[in-house]
Amino acid sequence: MSFGHPALLLALFLLPLLASAQVLARRRARRYAVRFTALPSVRAAVGSSGSARWLRHLPATLLLASLAALVFALAKPQQTVAVPVERGSIMLVTDHSRSMQATDVLPDRLRAAQAAAHRFLRQVPSAVRVGVVTFSSSPDAVQRPTNDHTEVQRVIDLQVADGATATGDALQTALDTLASDRQNGKRPPAAMVLLSDGKTTTGRDPVEVARNAGQLHIPIYTVALGTADATVPNPGFGPPLPVPPDPQTLSDIARISGGKAFTAEDSNRLASIYKTLGSQFGTRDVKKEITSGFVWAGLGLLLGGSALALRTRGGLP
C-alpha cells in the first residue's frame, strides 16, 4: 500500500496525546468525586464491576480508532492492481547461431526456443503488438510489431542454427524498430525479450545498446539458454566445440536497461519463463485509490463510539 499524501500520516502522532489527555481528565474527575458525599450511592447505581469499567473506556477507544481511519483516508491510500494492457509493443530478439544446435536442452536449443516462443505468443493478449528480430552473424529477419502474432510465429519457425553471435547488432535493430513505432502519434510502452545461448562474437557491444534502451525506457528481459558443459560438432576437424551460455553479460543487459534476467537449463524452465513473461506483458500495474474504505470504517467507528457513549451515560441516574 502507498499514499498520495503520506505527510498527512504525521497526524497519527496526535492520537497518543489525545489518549493521554483523556486519561488525565478521568483522573481529575476521580479526585473531585472523592469529595462528593453521595459517592457510595453513585457507585451502586453505576456498578463497580470490571465489565462496567471496561465499557466506560470503549467509546473513547472507538473514537480514537475512527480518527486514525479518517487520517488514513485523508492521506489517500492507494493499492497496486494489475489491469489488462490496452496497447504496447514487444520485440522478441532470438539467437539462432551455431551454438543453438546443442542438445543439452531437449530436443535441441533452437527447437526448445521455438516452442517456448509459441507459448509466449499464445499467452500475450491480442491487444499487445509483437515483433521479432532473429540473428546469428547479423540480424537476418525483422518483423515489425503487429497484432497478427502468426506472422511473428512464421519468422521464428524459419530459423536455422548456424553462424556467429551478433547480439549487440540484433538489439540495436530491435531498439530502432521500437523507437520509431507509433500508435496514434505516440510511442506505446515497449519492451524486448532477448534469448541467447552464447557470448557475443561479432558486432557492437550489447551492453552499450542496453544502456541506450534504458534511456528510452525500453527494458530488456534476457534469457540465458543452455548448460555450461554443452558442446556442438566441430564444423572442421577436431573435438566438439564448447558452447556455454553467457549469463553474466545477459544479466548486465537486463540490469542496465531496467529489465530482468532469467536462466534456463532445460526446456521446461524455458517454457515457464516465456509463459510468465507473456502473462506479465498482458497486464500493467496501476495504483487504485481505496480512500472510501477508510472513510466508511472511520464513520462506522465514530457512530459506534457515540452510540456507546450515550448508552453508558444514560445508565447514570
Side-chain angles (χ1 to χ4, degrees):
M1 182 187 297
S2 59
F3 295 89
H5 302 297
L8 293 178
L9 295 175
L10 294 174
L12 293 173
F13 289 106
L14 297 176
L15 298 183
L17 297 178
L18 292 176
S20 299
Q22 188 216 16
V23 171
L24 291 175
R26 285 188 176 276
R27 287 178 178 174
R28 291 194 190 99
R30 289 195 193 99
R31 286 197 297 268
Y32 176 77
V34 170
R35 305 188 192 103
F36 183 51
T37 57
L39 183 59
S41 61
V42 173
R43 283 179 174 171
V46 177
S48 58
S49 66
S51 61
R53 288 195 297 270
W54 179 79
L55 285 174
R56 286 199 297 270
H57 292 288
L58 186 56
T61 302
L62 293 177
L63 174 61
L64 291 174
S66 71
L67 291 175
L70 293 175
V71 168
F72 275 106
L74 290 173
K76 295 189 178 297
Q78 300 170 339
Q79 186 176 20
T80 301
V81 296
V83 299
V85 298
E86 298 176 355
R87 62 193 184 99
S89 298
I90 300 170
M91 288 295 291
L92 298 178
V93 184
T94 61
D95 180 357
H96 66 93
S97 58
R98 180 181 297 275
S99 57
M100 292 291 280
Q101 296 177 2
T103 57
D104 55 333
V105 180
L106 298 176
D108 58 49
R109 290 180 178 180
L110 180 59
R111 281 185 284 179
Q114 290 170 330
H118 292 173
R119 176 169 293 192
F120 175 86
L121 293 171
R122 289 195 300 268
Q123 197 74 24
V124 174
S126 58
V128 177
R129 299 161 71 238
V130 181
V132 63
V133 173
T134 62
F135 70 97
S136 56
S137 300
S138 64
D140 46 36
V142 179
Q143 169 64 55
R144 296 186 64 83
T146 175
N147 294 110
D148 186 0
H149 297 171
T150 59
E151 287 296 316
V152 178
Q153 184 172 315
R154 182 185 61 82
V155 174
I156 290 172
D157 290 344
L158 291 175
Q159 296 176 95
V160 176
D162 197 16
T165 307
T167 307
D169 291 346
L171 287 176
Q172 187 64 55
T173 299
L175 182 60
D176 292 342
T177 302
L178 290 174
S180 63
D181 187 35
R182 292 291 184 273
Q183 286 182 281
N184 299 322
K186 297 181 179 180
R187 182 169 65 81
M192 287 187 270
V193 179
L194 167 65
L195 181 141
S196 182
D197 69 337
K199 293 183 178 181
T200 298
T201 58
T202 186
R204 70 187 70 198
D205 182 3
V207 176
E208 287 302 315
V209 180
R211 185 168 286 107
N212 295 335
Q215 293 172 352
L216 293 173
H217 304 290
I218 299 178
I220 304 173
Y221 296 82
T222 63
V223 182
L225 179 63
T227 58
D229 56 353
T231 61
V232 295
N234 194 319
F237 296 98
L241 301 175
V243 285
D246 185 15
Q248 184 57 56
T249 299
L250 295 186
S251 179
D252 292 342
I253 291 170
R255 175 180 53 81
I256 291 172
S257 66
K260 187 175 181 180
F262 301 89
T263 58
E265 295 185 350
D266 57 66
S267 56
N268 290 333
R269 172 62 177 159
L270 179 61
S272 176
I273 291 169
Y274 267 59
K275 183 178 179 180
T276 299
L277 289 174
S279 300
Q280 178 177 329
F281 292 137
T283 61
R284 61 187 178 91
D285 290 338
V286 298
K287 290 184 177 180
K288 182 180 179 181
E289 193 171 303
I290 53 175
T291 301
S292 60
F294 286 92
V295 171
W296 286 112
L299 292 176
L301 290 168
L302 181 61
L303 291 174
S306 300
L308 191 57
L310 291 174
R311 181 179 177 183
T312 302
R313 289 181 182 177
L316 289 170

